Amino acid sequence: MDCSPLLGGFRRYRFFPGDKIKFRLRNEKIRFNEIIASITDSSFTIGITNEAASRMDYQEIPFKNIRLIKVSRRIPFVTEAAIYFPMAGLIYIGAAFVNKGVDDKHFTTDASALIVGGALMAAGLVCCKLSFSGIKINDRNKLKVLETY
């Protein structure tokens, strides 16, 4: 997949048979998180496990039916911050709520604790969007099969 975002440079994401791919189809709300079984010139096939019949069903997905692909980038410190910052914000607000504050009362909090905790949670959301982004398939971002030798 070739991606040309508004900010940043050109990126090429490659998927091979056996890789896990996360995507959504056009006009559907279902999210797919499946393994690629095979790739042809205009489509790819995913393997869906049918636990009731204990077998693997295969479904062919044409490239033109894909609306969005979720990709993840491993950015040092930013990817970890996407997990730890929201937890730290909740713990900070919880600690300010339980501990005695300026007024010597439990189970009260002040605005500064909410601001700091909310800022930590917002920073975690920004880090999450940077690390785990969804790319819409359109004229700028295209799916195509690359020649492999």
Side-chain angles (χ1 to χ4, degrees):
M1 174 178 66
D2 292 337
C3 176
S4 299
L6 292 174
L7 294 174
F10 173 81
R11 292 189 190 104
R12 177 167 282 166
Y13 297 99
R14 294 184 176 145
F15 300 100
F16 298 100
D19 290 347
K20 190 168 263 203
I21 187 169
K22 298 178 185 178
F23 64 94
R24 284 186 176 187
L25 295 176
R26 295 190 192 281
N27 303 323
E28 288 191 26
K29 298 283 184 183
I30 301 170
R31 293 181 203 150
F32 290 91
N33 186 7
E34 302 295 335
I35 295 174
I36 299 174
S38 66
I39 299 174
T40 62
D41 289 339
S42 62
S43 66
F44 63 90
T45 305
I46 57 173
I48 301 172
T49 57
N50 187 350
E51 294 178 6
S54 67
R55 64 178 180 169
M56 185 77 99
D57 294 332
Y58 294 98
Q59 181 178 1
E60 187 173 356
I61 310 288
F63 291 153
K64 64 181 179 179
N65 290 351
I66 296 177
R67 175 176 55 106
L68 177 92
I69 291 187
K70 299 286 276 185
V71 294
S72 63
R73 288 176 291 203
R74 172 74 173 89
I75 305 170
F77 302 110
V78 175
T79 305
E80 286 84 13
I83 298 167
Y84 293 127
F85 277 1
M87 286 191 309
L90 286 174
I91 291 171
Y92 189 85
I93 292 172
F97 183 72
V98 172
N99 292 332
K100 286 186 179 181
V102 178
D103 56 355
D104 282 338
K105 293 182 181 178
H106 287 287
F107 308 114
T108 60
T109 186
D110 57 343
S112 64
L114 293 175
I115 290 171
V116 172
L120 281 170
M121 287 190 251
L125 179 68
V126 169
C127 291
C128 184
K129 288 295 183 183
L130 288 173
S131 295
F132 309 103
S133 59
I135 299 172
K136 293 181 182 177
I137 305 302
N138 53 23
D139 293 336
R140 293 176 57 91
N141 307 321
K142 296 182 182 195
L143 283 175
K144 63 182 180 179
V145 177
L146 299 175
E147 294 291 328
T148 56
Y149 300 101

